Structures are given as structure tokens and as C-alpha cells.
């Protein structure tokens, strides 16, 4: 059970994870990465560029998934070379860990897969940071065990990310107590401010969302000691090929970052 205590980690400089949900094109990656790199230079904070090479957990079999492992990792490597940004991407199967770990700095474990032992172990074996998203069906206390799996497999740094819990059908709710609770187990606790406003499967064969609440999610997380913020962002979310309804407009990212880093 969580016991309130003074936690010096809440005074860590926050990090930001930002990028499109899925790799749609090299042009989109360039557009978003250029803005993320600009914000990193302006703020002096660390920004991780995020994009998925494959979205294996789409609602419909007809939904766009991405360019795949080989092509997607090459596109991400190009972003890293051009913009000098650290990278984050998610993996869905154990065999993807080694190849992805040769390119990106953080391997992300999707929420629905956070109990998959082989996936966690292979991610840990790469030596990269492992970011585990809290499942929509688990409590903050439950996330101790995925972290232990990674640490026992040799992971040097493990993050946990809050992204809401199921609240009936097609809806999520965030228990912000999970942030300080999970900080007991992880090296850093992140708030996923965009996936937490999803309406899973709630848009007729695809996921809906309420992007207007993204800033409030971020500010509430700040009050609960978040040590990082995750934003999926796109220049035109309504035309995005995945998760558009809950993505932040790219031109709104700077203003929100400014609010989060201003006392």
C-alpha cells in the first residue's frame, strides 16, 4: 500500500515525449521532428521523438498500421541523424526488441502488453530504457511487478506511464494517485496526456477521443508530481491515420510545454 513520503524525484527536470502516433510519411516525421527539436533547443529540456513503426493493436484489421519494422526503423534513424533527438518507439513482439534497440533510446511497452514477460525481458536485454505503460485494467500498485521483471532481466532504467483506466465501455478515467504510487517503483513516472483522453473503440470501428482535455490532463499530472509528459501531436490531427481524435495540434505544443515548465 502506498505511504505518503517526501519524494525528491518529483523535483527532477521533466522530460517530454512527443511525435505522431504512427509513421505516416517522411514528410510528417520531418515536420514534427523539426518543431520538437526547436522546443528542445529553446527550453534546454530533453525531448524524445516518438513514432510507431507498427500499430499492432488497431481496432479494425483495415486500419493503417505503419511502414513496418525495417523501413520504419530506418526512417526513425534518419530523424535521429538529422535532428539529434533521442527516440522512443513501441514494440509489440519480443523479436522486435533487438532491432529497435539498435536505433532508439527508449523501448515502450504498450499498455495491453505490460504483463508479457518475454516482451519485457527482451526489452530489458537491449540495455535501453524501458518505458512501460500501465494497463487500463491495472492499478498503480500492480505496476511494481512489470518493473521487477525488467530489473531482474538487467534493465538499468525503467519508466512507468499512466494512461487511464477503463470506465465502462468506450471510456477512460485517470486516477492521478497512480503517479506518486508508481514513483515508488520506477526511475521516472510519465503522464500520457493524449491516450488518457481516448474513447477506446468508441468511433465505429476506430478509437475516438476528446483532445480538448489534453491540457487539463497535463496540468493535473504536474500537480501530482509527474516527471515527464507524453503528447502525440500532429499538424492536422483530423487527417491523422491513427489516434487523431486525441492528438494535440502541433502548433499548440509549445504553449502547453511553457505552462508545464513555468512555476
Amino acid at each position: 500500500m502506498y505511504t505518503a513520503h517526501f519524494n525528491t524525484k518529483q523535483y527532477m527536470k521533466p522530460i517530454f515525449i512527443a511525435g505522431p502516433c504512427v509513421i505516416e510519411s517522411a514528410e510528417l516525421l520531418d515536420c514534427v521532428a523539426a518543431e520538437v527539436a526547436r522546443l528542445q533547443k529553446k527550453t534546454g529540456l530533453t525531448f524524445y521523438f516518438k513514432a510507431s513503426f507498427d500499430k499492432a493493436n488497431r481496432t479494425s484489421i483495415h486500419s493503417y498500421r505503419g511502414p513496418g519494422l525495417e523501413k520504419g526503423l530506418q526512417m526513425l534513424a534518419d530523424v535521429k541523424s538529422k535532428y539529434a533527438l533521442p527516440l522512443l518507439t513501441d514494440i509489440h513482439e519480443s523479436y522486435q526488441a533487438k532491432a529497435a534497440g539498435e536505433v532508439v533510446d527508449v523501448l515502450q511497452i504498450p499498455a495491453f502488453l505490460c504483463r508479457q514477460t518475454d516482451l519485457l525481458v527482451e526489452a530489458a536485454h537491449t540495455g535501453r530504457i524501458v518505458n512501460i505503460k500501465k494497463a487500463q485494467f491495472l492499478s498503480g500498485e500492480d505496476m511494481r511487478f512489470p518493473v521487477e521483471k525488467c530489473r531482474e532481466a538487467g534493465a538499468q532504467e525503467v519508466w512507468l506511464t499512466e494512461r487511464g483506466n477503463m470506465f465502462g465501455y468506450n471510456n477512460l478515467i485517470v486516477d492521478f494517485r497512480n503517479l506518486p504510487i508508481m514513483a515508488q517503483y520506477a526511475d521516472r513516472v510519465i503522464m500520457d496526456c493524449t491516450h488518457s483522453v481516448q474513447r477506446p473503440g468508441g468511433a465505429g470501428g476506430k478509437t475516438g477521443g476528446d483532445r480538448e482535455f489534453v491540457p487539463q490532463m497535463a496540468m493535473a499530472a504536474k500537480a501530482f508530481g509527474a516527471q515527464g509528459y507524453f503528447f502525440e501531436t500532429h499538424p492536422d490531427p483530423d487527417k491523422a491515420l491513427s489516434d487523431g481524435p486525441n492528438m494535440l495540434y502541433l502548433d499548440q505544443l509549445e504553449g502547453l510545454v511553457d505552462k508545464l515548465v513555468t512555476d
Side-chain angles (χ1 to χ4, degrees), residues 149-219:
K149 290 179 182 181
C150 287
R151 295 208 191 279
E152 291 187 25
Q156 296 300 303
E157 187 166 352
V158 184
W159 302 346
L160 288 174
T161 294
E162 169 63 41
R163 51 98 70 241
N165 283 81
M166 293 304 299
F167 188 64
Y169 296 119
N170 309 128
N171 208 354
L172 298 173
I173 191 166
V174 175
D175 181 350
F176 286 98
R177 294 175 299 178
N178 285 327
L179 293 171
I181 289 171
M182 294 193 301
Q184 298 176 103
Y185 316 125
D187 295 290
R188 187 178 289 272
V189 174
I190 313 293
M191 181 66 203
D192 185 339
C193 306
T194 45
H195 286 95
S196 58
V197 300
Q198 277 184 337
R199 291 187 178 270
K206 57 185 179 180
T207 290
D210 300 307
R211 73 170 71 97
E212 64 268 27
F213 296 117
V214 169
Q216 288 89 340
M217 286 291 182
M219 297 307 293

Side-chain angles (χ1 to χ4, degrees), residues 97-256:
K98 185 176 186 297
E102 291 174 354
V103 175
V104 307
D105 302 272
V106 183
L107 293 174
Q108 181 166 276
I109 308 300
F112 285 128
L113 301 179
C114 73
R115 290 164 53 105
Q116 295 295 105
T117 300
D118 291 344
L119 186 62
L120 292 165
V121 168
E122 288 304 311
H125 283 169
T126 67
R128 296 300 192 180
I129 298 168
V130 182
N131 181 36
I132 312 171
K133 287 198 166 184
K134 183 182 70 63
Q136 298 90 328
F137 48 86
L138 294 180
S139 70
E141 289 92 343
D142 293 329
M143 295 307 295
R144 165 188 169 188
F145 301 103
V147 172
E148 287 179 353
K149 290 179 182 181
C150 287
R151 295 208 191 279
E152 291 187 25
Q156 296 300 303
E157 187 166 352
V158 184
W159 302 346
L160 288 174
T161 294
E162 169 63 41
R163 51 98 70 241
N165 283 81
M166 293 304 299
F167 188 64
Y169 296 119
N170 309 128
N171 208 354
L172 298 173
I173 191 166
V174 175
D175 181 350
F176 286 98
R177 294 175 299 178
N178 285 327
L179 293 171
I181 289 171
M182 294 193 301
Q184 298 176 103
Y185 316 125
D187 295 290
R188 187 178 289 272
V189 174
I190 313 293
M191 181 66 203
D192 185 339
C193 306
T194 45
H195 286 95
S196 58
V197 300
Q198 277 184 337
R199 291 187 178 270
K206 57 185 179 180
T207 290
D210 300 307
R211 73 170 71 97
E212 64 268 27
F213 296 117
V214 169
Q216 288 89 340
M217 286 291 182
M219 297 307 293
K222 178 180 179 179
F224 276 84
Q227 299 144 6
Y229 304 91
F230 181 112
F231 300 108
E232 286 191 335
T233 184
H234 193 286
D236 190 353
D238 290 332
K239 294 182 180 178
L241 299 181
S242 176
D243 273 355
N246 52 262
M247 290 170 74
L248 186 70
Y249 280 96
L250 184 60
D251 62 8
Q252 296 177 353
L253 180 61
E254 180 175 8
L256 186 48

